[in-house]
Amino acid sequence: MFWFYNVINTLTIGLIGFSMPAGPARNRMVLYLAIGALLWNFLSILFQEVSTSVQWERWEGTIEYSFMAPIRRVTYLGGVCAWAVLYGLVRTVVILIAVAFFFHINLAGADLAGAAMVLVASSVPFIGLGLVAAVLPLLSTERGAQATQVIQGVLLLVSGVYYPVRVLPEWIRWAAVLSPATYTLDAVRKALLSGASVTSLFGVSLGLLASGVVLIPLGLGIFTLAERHAMRTGSLKRNG
Amino acid sequence: MSIAGAEFVRPVPVDPQALALCAVGVHKSFRERESGEHQWRRVDAVSGIDLAVPRGEILGILGPNGSGKSTLIRILATLLVPDRGSVEVFGYDIGRHRLLVRRLINRVSVEASFFKKLTAEENLAYATGLYGVPNRQAQAMAREILERLGMPAKKLRVPLEQLSRGQQQKVAIARALLTSPTLMLLDEPTTGLDPKSRREVQQFILDVRQRHDATIVICTHDMDEAERLCDRVAIINRGRFEAVGPPQELKARHGATMEAVFFTLIGESTAEER
């Protein structure tokens, strides 16, 4: 059901472009919006899935059993992240097929390899952000999930998902610089709309990977600290 | 009966002379909000517990609600860090050798926590997967364990939310046993079970000790259960052990029945004062 909603949502956003007069500009706008919707779908799954897993385990009370298992936390979280990437890719491909079928998208001038490279590189910092967000439901089952939604909402607002970052009010535009999604969306659009090559997108991809190299250990570190806090205060338990 | 996970969970070298469990001066307190106020107070959940459990023993912990039983079990299960004191499992400190200790233990809690929408099979696959036990072996052994516990194997394919509390608790016991724990921590495993299921679980606990050389720490409210299963019983109240000894010895000192022992040591008006 949720997949169906995602497909319809992406198509609805793409259809906004049809309010423009017919021609190349309209086709470009439709693709611009569809790329935004598709990428946001993928990146938000990476961001959300890790924290949802922790939240679900806390909700059901199984987290004590998972944390009592003789595996390192990095292994546990690595498994959750691998699932998030796989799930995100499959869901995005399904939506992509629906979008391509519905809008008859022509990607003749697009550099798909460049877009794929950026997408893979952007997974790394988003997993790092997901790990940071996963701390919130670890600290508080109910409020943690709400806080995750707030962070996700801010990223949606400032990253230029459906509009260029330059249209943001000046007082908030600085936040776009901090979001890995800004660079991902910009680079993927360059690849798909303007045919930017792998070589020209190499720098952005490297930057995204570098931010991931910072964000993943940061996320793991914060998660470990939060787990220790929970083990001191007894907040892991659901009942009993 | 063999234990399913034994050959798959990486073995931990254990000194045969070491105590299964050794706790010295364990303290744990929590911050609690005063009712309706913005002020906090510290509540001592566990206050200076000393414990020495030899390998193969079944130790019962008897106490009223809020006496510190579950907190103590969570500390032993590496889920809570004590404020003071030390705990060793087969000679391994639970703080410094947490991963090693986790390979030696498992726990059944009073609430059988599962992914309720998933079947018992799926829940067991997830839980045993974390210990490296191959799913096929885990499922085969789970069937055997559940049949011994009087639960039809076909129930493994039913979502947990559709199983009764007793059936969920039996799946929880299977989950713990499938990882081949040398030390089993059972926190009120028979609470809420009907008399037949309770008897089946109790018999199973005795079988596990006898055939698997497991050491078992069991928290319970059930005096008969404590007397039937346990080599020694510790009476806990307000986070402290009031007495520890074989049931016969406790009865000789404090009362004719375990219930009399309990009320002599705890006092009739104690339950849930905190």
Side-chain angles (χ1 to χ4, degrees):
Chain A
M1 203 62 196
F2 198 65
W3 287 44
F4 178 78
Y5 176 82
N6 266 187
V7 170
I8 298 299
N9 187 47
T10 307
L11 296 180
T12 310
I13 290 164
L15 281 169
I16 295 170
F18 276 81
S19 57
M20 291 179 71
R26 182 169 83 176
N27 294 343
R28 192 180 168 82
M29 178 54 78
V30 170
L31 193 52
Y32 183 97
L33 291 168
I35 290 168
L38 278 166
L39 272 185
W40 182 246
N41 178 66
F42 178 66
L43 296 177
S44 59
I45 287 173
L46 296 191
F47 176 76
Q48 214 174 18
E49 201 58 31
V50 186
S51 80
T52 302
S53 299
V54 172
Q55 185 199 351
W56 193 22
E57 286 234 45
R58 280 216 60 189
W59 195 264
E60 297 279 27
T62 55
I63 200 155
E64 285 196 326
Y65 291 91
S66 297
F67 280 14
M68 214 171 64
I71 54 166
R72 294 186 187 283
R73 202 57 64 233
V74 67
T75 312
Y76 169 82
L77 292 169
V80 175
C81 292
W83 158 252
V85 171
L86 187 69
Y87 177 60
L89 280 174
V90 171
R91 210 167 90 174
T92 306
V93 166
V94 168
I95 298 172
L96 179 62
I97 291 167
V99 167
F101 177 77
F102 196 82
F103 292 124
H104 306 291
I105 286 172
N106 179 9
L107 293 172
D111 190 307
L112 293 173
M117 181 181 71
V118 174
L119 202 63
V120 170
S122 70
S123 304
V124 184
F126 259 80
I127 284 172
L129 283 177
L131 290 173
V132 174
V135 170
L136 301 168
L138 190 65
L139 295 174
S140 166
T141 316
E142 292 84 4
R143 274 176 276 178
Q146 291 162 8
T148 306
Q149 297 282 329
V150 170
I151 297 173
Q152 202 179 347
V154 172
L155 286 173
L156 173 63
L157 177 71
V158 303
S159 303
V161 177
Y162 302 120
Y163 41 79
V165 171
R166 67 173 181 277
V167 306
L168 286 170
E170 203 169 329
W171 61 268
I172 203 177
R173 207 177 300 158
W174 63 271
V177 179
L178 301 175
S179 167
T182 308
Y183 306 99
T184 308
L185 286 154
D186 187 51
V188 169
R189 281 180 176 135
K190 277 180 183 159
L192 296 182
L193 296 173
S194 313
S197 65
V198 168
T199 324
S200 66
L201 298 171
F202 197 69
V204 180
S205 303
L206 214 57
L208 286 166
L209 283 173
S211 64
V213 168
V214 174
L215 282 169
I216 287 183
L218 181 73
L220 281 172
I222 294 175
F223 195 93
T224 306
L225 285 176
E227 184 185 343
R228 281 187 199 151
H229 170 79
M231 286 169 66
R232 278 199 308 275
T233 57
S235 58
L236 278 181
K237 69 171 182 175
R238 191 80 183 140
N239 294 297
Chain B
M1 186 182 68
S2 62
I3 296 296
E7 59 201 280
F8 302 105
V9 178
R10 201 147 42 102
V12 178
V14 168
D15 176 2
Q17 304 302 317
L19 286 168
L21 186 59
C22 178
V24 179
V26 176
H27 283 260
K28 185 72 199 172
S29 62
F30 297 109
R31 249 163 45 112
E32 243 183 38
R33 197 186 285 273
E34 299 272 15
S35 55
E37 299 294 332
H38 291 294
Q39 290 187 328
W40 296 79
R41 61 171 182 157
R42 286 212 82 84
V43 175
D44 292 326
V46 169
S47 305
I49 293 276
D50 297 318
L51 191 59
V53 183
R55 187 173 188 151
E57 183 177 80
I58 300 182
L59 174 78
I61 300 178
L62 256 169
N65 293 332
S67 58
K69 300 188 295 295
S70 294
T71 301
L72 182 58
I73 288 286
R74 279 196 168 87
I75 290 171
L76 303 180
T78 74
L79 291 168
L80 269 179
V81 181
D83 299 333
R84 292 203 303 279
S86 68
V87 180
E88 288 184 355
V89 173
F90 290 100
Y92 293 105
D93 184 89
I94 59 164
R96 278 180 289 136
H97 304 287
R98 195 169 288 151
L99 285 182
L100 283 177
V101 169
R102 286 174 176 171
R103 279 172 18 213
L104 291 166
I105 62 170
N106 212 322
R107 160 178 171 256
V108 177
S109 63
V110 61
E111 275 296 325
S113 301
F114 288 105
F115 298 110
K116 295 286 193 305
K117 296 282 178 195
L118 303 184
T119 65
E121 244 176 17
E122 290 163 338
N123 271 284
L124 292 175
Y126 176 73
T128 53
L130 292 172
Y131 287 76
V133 180
N135 189 34
R136 186 177 292 183
Q137 279 85 351
Q139 299 299 341
M141 198 61 201
R143 273 186 203 96
E144 191 185 323
I145 292 170
L146 291 174
E147 276 170 11
R148 288 178 62 81
L149 285 166
M151 185 170 150
K154 65 179 180 187
K155 293 282 185 186
L156 275 165
R157 301 217 166 132
V158 175
L160 258 295
E161 65 186 359
Q162 291 175 24
L163 297 182
S164 68
R165 165 153 168 70
Q167 287 169 332
Q168 288 186 25
Q169 199 63 357
K170 287 174 180 177
V171 178
I173 290 167
R175 173 174 62 186
L177 202 63
L178 284 170
T179 64
S180 186
T182 319
L183 172 63
M184 282 189 83
L185 305 167
L186 308 176
D187 191 357
E188 300 180 34
T190 59
T191 298
L193 300 192
D194 62 63
K196 182 172 175 286
S197 295
R198 190 179 307 151
R199 188 46 71 105
E200 285 164 345
V201 170
Q202 289 170 354
Q203 189 55 48
F204 187 75
I205 290 167
L206 290 170
D207 284 353
V208 168
R209 190 265 293 268
Q210 193 177 355
R211 299 184 193 195
H212 177 47
D213 186 27
T215 308
I216 296 166
V217 176
I218 178 170
C219 292
T220 181
H221 287 298
D222 186 332
M223 313 290 162
D224 294 337
E225 180 170 276
E227 191 167 4
R228 177 168 183 236
L229 294 181
C230 304
D231 301 307
R232 286 189 304 152
V233 172
I235 310 285
I236 189 171
N237 188 30
R238 297 174 189 272
R240 294 176 187 279
F241 283 160
E242 302 286 349
V244 184
Q248 291 305 327
E249 197 178 298
L250 291 176
K251 285 196 289 186
R253 280 190 194 168
H254 302 289
T257 63
M258 281 307 290
E259 193 168 283
V261 171
F262 183 83
F263 285 119
T264 303
L265 291 167
I266 303 292
E268 300 225 8
S269 59
T270 301
E272 290 203 277
E273 275 179 11
R274 285 180 297 168

